[in-house]
Amino acid sequence: MPAPTISVTGPDDASLSLVELYDGITAYVTVWSAAPERRPVEAYLQFSPGAAFLLPEKHTDSSKTVLLLEGVLQDEHGSYGPGTRMQCAIGTEHTPRSDTGALAYVIYPEREPAPADTEEPVAFPC
């Protein structure tokens, strides 16, 4: 299976912040939270084949909703295909990976979005 590719269209694609999380895992952040934390509120996550989080992702400040758009994503709880919607509650953790490559849209609903005119950060504070 070929690696999924991200194709985002809109009036200003330059407003997306590209952040390398791990080797082969890129976040395309569409909405950032307000200062001082400056964490993603919504983002596309693109996994290259064989890419994996090196450390568990801990959901301490927000739950997380993941919609898998393409490919297959795995973690210690299972394997998920396109169209799967995953819910991660506050206080949980998992270590995502993808053997074949994947594209997901991620939302952290408890994080407050920054005002639209706020300057975008250059780092991804985890």
Side-chain angles (χ1 to χ4, degrees), residues 6-97:
I6 189 165
S7 176
V8 180
T9 58
D12 184 11
D13 290 340
S15 66
L16 294 178
S17 295
L18 179 127
V19 181
E20 290 292 326
L21 300 178
Y22 293 103
D23 187 33
I25 303 174
T26 304
Y28 298 84
V29 181
T30 59
V31 180
W32 286 94
S33 69
E37 293 85 14
R38 306 295 290 160
R39 294 180 176 211
V41 175
E42 296 184 24
Y44 289 93
L45 284 184
Q46 186 171 21
F47 288 74
S48 296
F53 276 51
L54 301 178
L55 299 170
E57 181 184 21
K58 299 179 181 184
H59 307 109
T60 57
D61 69 322
S62 179
S63 62
K64 178 174 81 170
T65 300
V66 178
L67 177 59
L68 191 57
L69 303 173
E70 295 180 22
V72 177
L73 205 59
Q74 298 93 18
D75 67 10
E76 48 278 83
H77 307 290
S79 182
Y80 316 97
T84 302
R85 181 177 172 269
M86 295 168 268
Q87 287 293 130
C88 304
I90 293 176
T92 61
E93 64 180 59
H94 69 138
T95 311
R97 68 182 188 284

